[in-house]
Every structure is written in C-alpha cells, then in structure tokens.
Amino acid sequence: MARRSSDYGARHDPDREAGYAQVTWWTNDVLAAARKIYQGFGFTLADEERHHSYGHDLVGQNWTLDLRAGGVDAAH
C-alpha cells in the first residue's frame, strides 16, 4: 500500500492542535525498510548513536518530522 507524505501529515493534525512542534521516530540503521518509510513521509535523520542491543552492535537513529506550518525540520 503506497502512501504519500501528505497522507501521513494529515494524521498529525491532533498533534499540531495539541501544540506539538515535532514528531520523532526511532529505528536502527540496519532496518533499511523503516528508513525508506520515514523518508517517504518527510522525516529527516536528526542523529545517530551506537548501542548494543539484541546481541548486536547497532546504530540507533532518530528521525524527526516538523509539524509547524512551514514544515521545515527543526533539527536541520
């Protein structure tokens, strides 16, 4: 099922109305499918941090979506 970033953005109207300026999603860098989904919805990579989880050395990633009127990601 294909979705456009505008479809996702509309779902965050309650978040905007509550006063949230940004949404952050977390994943690991090895999860390429998650990164593609986040990017497709307009999220941008805010930061990365190495960690050891699930028996592996991984790189966690925080992806952000700016909910303000201009839509420019606050992290960049």
Side-chain angles (χ1 to χ4, degrees):
M1 167 173 45
R3 294 184 187 169
R4 298 171 305 202
S5 59
S6 60
D7 295 337
Y8 181 79
R11 294 170 196 215
H12 278 285
D13 286 343
D15 297 332
R16 285 185 187 94
E17 291 168 8
Y20 292 102
Q22 186 177 68
V23 172
T24 300
W25 284 354
W26 179 86
T27 191
N28 284 303
D29 69 335
V30 297
L31 301 175
R35 290 195 318 269
K36 281 186 170 183
I37 291 168
Y38 296 179
Q39 289 172 318
F41 285 136
F43 283 74
T44 57
L45 181 60
D47 60 59
E48 297 180 300
E49 185 174 333
R50 294 185 181 280
H51 64 101
H52 188 83
S53 297
Y54 313 107
H56 300 280
D57 291 325
L58 300 168
V59 178
Q61 298 180 325
N62 288 307
W63 291 80
T64 59
L65 177 67
D66 190 349
L67 299 177
R68 295 171 297 180
V72 176
D73 193 300
H76 296 281

